[in-house]
Amino acid sequence: MDREALLAWYSPRRRAYPWRARPTPYRVLVSEIMLQQTQAARVEPAFRAFIRRFPSAAALARARRSEVLRAWAGLGYNRRAVALSRAARAIVREHRGRVPRDPAVLQGLPGVGPYTAAAVASIAFGVPAAAVDANVARVVTRVHLGAEAHEVPPAVRRDLARGWLDREDPGSWNQALMDLGREVCRPRPRCPSCPLAGACRFEASGREPAASGRRQPRFEGSLRQVRGRVIAALRERSSASLGALSRDLGQAPDRIHRAIAGLAADGLVEAGPAALAGRPGGRVRLSEEERGPRPPSEDAVA
Ligand code: SF4
């Protein structure tokens, strides 16, 4: 259904981002994990800097966790940095430094779910796997069923996406649908500029789009915001006391304590017993976890 129209629309965009210009498996994996929760415009400069610093899975696997967390600045959701660091070590340890191509094996890596696995497998290796995130699900269900994604069971959405997949160039197809969902078929769709308008059941039905459903939990003033500010502060210094963080960040000591307890449990920071007990003099620093394994050979790294 209108494959050519969608691919023609995508064609001038296909080199828009640095990870598309040279889609090696490692670069695609890094970009897809960054893009999970951060907009492409913010990912772009962070991706360039990250790849300069860690040009291969082996280089990333060797880095201390604190180095990776520092290189993650500007992206937010810092747990992804820990997951990516662990994924690189698993790639070196279990896959001879090569990013696996099988989506089922990719899903065994930390931080890689079904969507990311399908995106990496299709974009980097040409494996015919449909990558279905919220944006793609919205396009697929609107075009084929004239329905909103939340009205359609996940298994049906997946089957539709698989059936529609361009098996000759699944990577381009997945990226075209991702871009269309992000830029045109948004929750409030821009049908007049859509290449699929002539074939879309949703457009033909004249339906009003559903009010965007779940709202993101409020970030301003949230504990998640405090966690992010603690990590940002620790990027700038080797360690800090709870009291200093409370003062510098203008946060009540108990909120700093709760943020640090969560960050320590997630492996992002190391906190001594006094810090975990919430004492103002207790010290905390970015996780320095031991360096990862050496790869069998640098040449083996994708
Ligand atoms: S025509 Fe409208 S509803 Fe259909 S895919 Fe395009 S933007 Fe979405």
Side-chain angles (χ1 to χ4, degrees):
M1 184 191 280
D2 258 9
R3 282 211 175 94
E4 292 75 19
L6 179 60
L7 290 172
W9 174 86
Y10 170 67
S11 178
R13 291 166 172 76
R14 67 178 307 143
R15 298 185 77 79
Y17 299 112
W19 50 89
R20 288 185 181 166
R22 199 156 61 81
T24 67
Y26 170 69
R27 287 163 63 94
V28 174
L29 175 66
V30 170
S31 68
E32 286 299 330
I33 288 185
M34 289 183 170
L35 288 163
Q36 283 170 356
Q37 284 154 307
T38 309
Q39 290 181 343
R42 274 176 61 204
V43 166
E44 200 168 340
F47 174 83
R48 287 184 201 280
F50 194 91
I51 290 292
R52 262 198 307 275
R53 183 85 188 274
F54 310 114
S56 65
L60 183 56
R62 279 199 302 272
R64 287 182 190 280
R65 187 169 293 167
S66 58
E67 294 173 59
V68 182
L69 282 164
R70 287 196 170 92
W72 202 257
L75 290 165
Y77 293 94
N78 294 296
R79 271 191 290 188
R80 290 177 299 165
V82 175
L84 187 54
S85 162
R86 289 183 174 143
R89 291 175 186 188
I91 288 166
V92 168
R93 199 173 48 241
E94 296 160 23
H95 303 287
R96 299 179 53 79
R98 293 187 184 279
V99 175
R101 61 174 286 144
D102 181 339
V105 179
L106 277 161
Q107 280 192 62
L109 297 174
V112 178
Y115 167 79
T116 303
V120 172
S122 62
I123 296 168
F125 297 107
V127 173
V132 188
D133 68 352
N135 288 330
V136 171
R138 190 167 55 245
V139 178
V140 168
T141 56
R142 282 177 173 174
V143 169
H144 289 269
L145 303 178
E148 295 287 17
H150 68 266
E151 298 164 344
V152 180
V156 175
R157 300 195 303 239
R158 272 196 309 274
D159 286 350
L160 281 171
R162 280 185 194 134
W164 201 17
L165 185 70
D166 180 348
R167 304 183 84 80
E168 285 184 9
D169 189 356
S172 295
W173 181 254
N174 281 333
Q175 289 177 101
L177 280 181
M178 291 170 200
D179 283 9
L180 192 81
R182 201 163 45 225
E183 297 172 25
V184 180
C185 193
R186 297 154 65 100
R188 187 155 287 282
R190 299 168 175 174
C191 304
S193 38
C194 179
L196 298 178
C200 176
R201 290 191 171 177
F202 194 91
E203 156 73 345
S205 74
R207 265 189 71 168
E208 279 295 307
S212 37
R214 269 184 305 159
R215 292 194 172 280
Q216 286 271 19
R218 195 169 54 89
F219 179 67
E220 203 60 38
S222 67
L223 195 62
R224 189 162 73 77
Q225 185 188 36
V226 179
R227 283 171 55 117
R229 293 182 66 198
V230 167
I231 293 292
L234 293 175
R235 282 192 181 107
E236 306 297 323
R237 47 190 121 174
S238 55
S239 71
S241 68
L242 264 65
L245 287 170
S246 169
R247 191 179 56 245
D248 295 353
L249 301 181
Q251 294 290 324
D254 73 304
R255 277 173 72 73
I256 294 290
H257 176 216
R258 281 169 55 208
I260 284 173
L263 290 167
D266 289 338
L268 280 85
V269 303
E270 292 170 4
L276 290 175
R279 294 201 202 102
R283 298 198 75 78
V284 59
R285 65 179 184 177
L286 289 182
S287 174
E288 286 291 352
E289 201 202 44
E290 285 184 13
R291 287 166 189 271
R294 284 203 157 269
S297 151
E298 288 283 309
D299 299 339
V301 176

